Amino acid sequence: MGERQLAHCRDGAVRRRWLAELCEFLAFPSVSASPARQSDLESCADWLAGHLQHLGLDNPAVLPGLDGAAPSVYADWLRAPGQPTLLLYGHFDVQPADPTGWHTPPFQPTLIGGRIYARGASDDKGQLFAHLKALETWLATERRLPINVKVWLEGEEEINSPHLSVFLDREGRRLHSDVALVSDTEMPSPKQPSIVLGLRGNATIELEVRGSSRDLHSGRYGGAVDNPVEVLSRILAGLHTRDGHVAVPGFYRRVKNWSAEARRRLGANSLSDEAFLAGVGMPCAAGEPGFTTFERATIRPALTVTGVQSGYTSGDKSVIPARALARLSVRMVADQEPSQVAQLVMDRIHQLTPGSVRTRTRVNSLSHPVDMSASHPAFAAAERAVRRVWGVRPVYTRNGGSISAVAALRRRQRIPIVVLGLGLPSDAIHAANEHLHLSQLFRGIATVTQFLEELRQ
Ligand SMILES: [Zn+2]
């Protein structure tokens, strides 16, 4: 990054315009989980495609989703012959704005004390915006990029990318690149940038317990028939042992074993229990015995109940519900095979089902775990860019979350993917009052600007 790029990144008027643009982007309620928001997702995609064109990228396009699914946005700049092609990935869909507890309206971006508050501010609109502004920084000052770039912005990441594999069958060639950069994670602290080498996979499973053909009067039938809510509770309780292991036969069979040395290195770069739990309001950590809190959440698999629904809770109603529903998320690590593990969990659920009710299970989505090494020169380039802007070397770490696109790109294109998070653990992603620190945004833009140059050969 030369003087001109530096000046552009630091210019007060440019920064004010960037914030105005980011506010416009964040105002779209692009919630992929809500079918009612489909048109908002499409307007947001149109806005992005227009913005990419405005930045000077070629071939901006809204790529329609399959079967009415959310669209993706694409653009490229391939005018640097002989130079590598970098794929910039991000997602413009966001989590629903609930739960309540927002101090500002989630889709009216608000600047308070050096932070911008809005749903998607950190996950992932704010972070992908940093990529776009790095492209702007080059194009506005030099009218060219140091390398070739393709931009792919996805619209259904927050629902676990259900159409990803069909989408990549169709668009794989268009997206083909030498290396990818993804900013959709966090760094441990503003003083400690990090690159994520491992992500967990995810299988989401729906479980329904059905009892009677209609709700029953709990006075007439209570004590005489089985109750789907109680059976569901027993099944869910049966999926863990008391001490915190997942009680599904074969669940841990293919889990990658880490050497004592690798665990020590991971530990040195990981959050302490105290930092891990900061601000979440839990009295202590809990989980699989024999592992640290950070290990439990990154290099060990987990089975989590993400929602339960049944009966009547708004007041007293004398009823035995006819059905009860639960949703599960199984976070998997290398070298587990998601479909196999999901099957083991469903087998266990059916085993735990008594003859007095029926259960139905369904896998809603599957994504593979990611396990990379930092041996490709792209990681060294990222290290140099980070050091230039943040003054320190990034640490290599693991993240317990899942990014389906990273897993799919890794498996299909076998390219190195630099997962360089610009968020912070305290950003409250997926929760009320999500925000992004402007200092993270501006340094993120400078980092990506520098990274583009570091990749030039
Ligand atoms: Zn995200």
Side-chain angles (χ1 to χ4, degrees):
M1 173 164 54
E3 283 307 315
R4 282 207 291 241
Q5 290 76 52
L6 210 56
H8 186 82
C9 280
R10 289 183 178 163
D11 185 304
V14 169
R15 288 187 168 189
R16 279 192 295 281
R17 171 173 55 76
W18 284 350
L19 292 183
E21 291 168 354
L22 180 56
C23 286
E24 237 180 86
F25 181 27
L26 289 169
F28 290 98
S30 48
V31 179
S32 49
S34 163
R37 294 298 193 188
Q38 178 72 18
S39 66
D40 295 302
L41 274 158
E42 278 160 19
S43 319
C44 189
D46 288 342
W47 184 89
L48 273 171
H51 195 72
L52 291 168
Q53 177 162 39
H54 177 75
L55 293 181
L57 294 177
D58 301 320
N59 304 308
V62 174
L63 308 178
L66 297 127
D67 309 327
S72 275
V73 178
Y74 175 85
D76 57 31
W77 193 92
L78 305 172
R79 303 190 223 167
Q83 292 298 329
T85 302
L86 170 70
L87 176 67
L88 295 173
Y89 165 86
H91 65 88
F92 63 89
D93 65 320
V94 298
Q95 285 273 315
D98 16 340
T100 49
W102 283 83
H103 302 313
T104 60
F107 296 108
Q108 277 175 42
T110 312
L111 286 161
I112 305 171
R115 303 169 193 190
I116 186 162
Y117 285 81
R119 170 58 84 230
S122 176
D123 180 14
D124 179 43
K125 285 175 169 172
Q127 296 199 50
L128 79 84
F129 187 73
H131 290 190
L132 304 189
K133 295 297 108 176
L135 299 178
E136 174 194 306
T137 298
W138 281 109
L139 290 166
T141 54
E142 307 289 335
R143 298 185 174 278
R144 59 166 184 84
L145 300 178
I147 54 167
N148 299 300
V149 168
K150 295 180 177 182
V151 179
W152 169 33
L153 307 173
E154 198 200 348
E156 54 170 28
E157 194 276 343
E158 295 292 5
I159 51 171
N160 226 357
S161 309
H163 302 89
L164 184 65
S165 125
V166 203
F167 176 81
L168 289 176
D169 287 345
R170 192 185 75 190
E171 305 291 349
R173 279 173 72 96
R174 196 200 301 249
L175 299 177
H176 199 273
S177 306
D178 301 306
V179 52
L181 175 70
V182 175
S183 297
D184 190 18
T185 50
E186 61 192 31
M187 47 182 71
S189 84
K191 291 196 178 103
Q192 188 51 81
S194 67
I195 292 175
V196 169
L197 292 177
L199 291 160
R200 292 197 287 187
N202 192 10
T204 57
I205 299 173
E206 201 179 291
L207 158 60
E208 186 188 33
V209 180
R210 278 189 174 278
S212 47
S213 54
R214 58 180 165 81
D215 286 359
L216 299 177
H217 189 296
S218 65
R220 182 155 197 268
Y221 294 96
V225 295
D226 227 337
N227 179 331
V229 192
E230 294 169 23
V231 173
L232 177 67
S233 308
R234 291 201 294 273
I235 292 175
L236 296 179
L239 295 176
H240 285 90
T241 62
R242 273 181 182 277
D243 69 354
H245 288 101
V246 174
V248 171
F251 186 79
Y252 295 101
R253 198 182 302 138
R254 290 180 58 180
V255 169
K256 175 176 162 177
N257 249 322
W258 284 59
S259 68
E261 171 54 22
R263 286 177 70 183
R264 192 198 58 72
R265 259 185 284 126
L266 179 71
N269 292 339
S270 68
L271 295 173
S272 65
D273 278 24
E274 201 184 23
F276 190 89
L277 292 178
V280 304
M282 293 290 280
C284 63
E288 193 186 358
F291 296 92
T292 66
T293 302
F294 189 76
E295 287 173 337
R296 287 170 181 164
T298 53
I299 60 166
R300 298 297 296 171
L303 190 160
T304 309
V305 179
T306 55
V308 174
Q309 196 178 38
S310 185
Y312 189 82
T313 55
S314 311
D316 290 332
K317 187 183 179 201
S318 306
V319 70
I320 297 174
R323 61 195 281 267
L325 197 76
R327 285 179 183 272
L328 310 175
S329 159
V330 186
R331 298 283 178 170
M332 274 158 284
V333 296
D335 301 307
Q336 291 181 295
E337 179 56 42
S339 57
Q340 243 172 38
V341 175
Q343 191 56 53
L344 292 175
V345 172
M346 292 190 294
D347 290 348
R348 178 67 179 147
I349 287 169
H350 292 123
Q351 230 176 45
L352 289 168
T353 305
S356 52
V357 297
R358 282 146 303 178
T359 49
R360 184 186 59 79
T361 51
R362 192 177 79 179
V363 175
N364 280 333
S365 63
L366 289 171
S367 67
H368 281 81
V370 175
D371 185 30
M372 294 181 286
S373 80
S375 54
H376 190 278
F379 289 92
E383 279 187 39
R384 291 193 298 274
V386 166
R387 197 203 293 261
R388 164 101 190 257
V389 175
W390 303 80
V392 290
R393 229 184 129 246
V395 294
Y396 286 101
T397 185
R398 307 255 149 187
N399 187 293
S402 312
I403 309 173
S404 304
V406 172
L409 283 172
R410 182 84 191 134
R411 290 171 64 80
R412 283 169 181 254
Q413 302 197 2
R414 308 216 162 267
I415 53 172
I417 303 176
V418 178
V419 180
L420 176 69
L422 303 173
L424 290 174
S426 56
D427 286 350
I429 62 169
H430 295 207
N433 304 309
E434 179 178 353
H435 59 272
L436 180 69
H437 290 256
L438 300 186
S439 52
Q440 293 291 116
L441 173 69
F442 294 136
R443 287 170 119 185
I445 295 168
T447 308
V448 180
T449 303
Q450 182 68 28
F451 181 56
L452 293 171
E453 182 163 37
E454 296 288 352
L455 283 176
R456 174 160 50 191
Q457 285 169 357

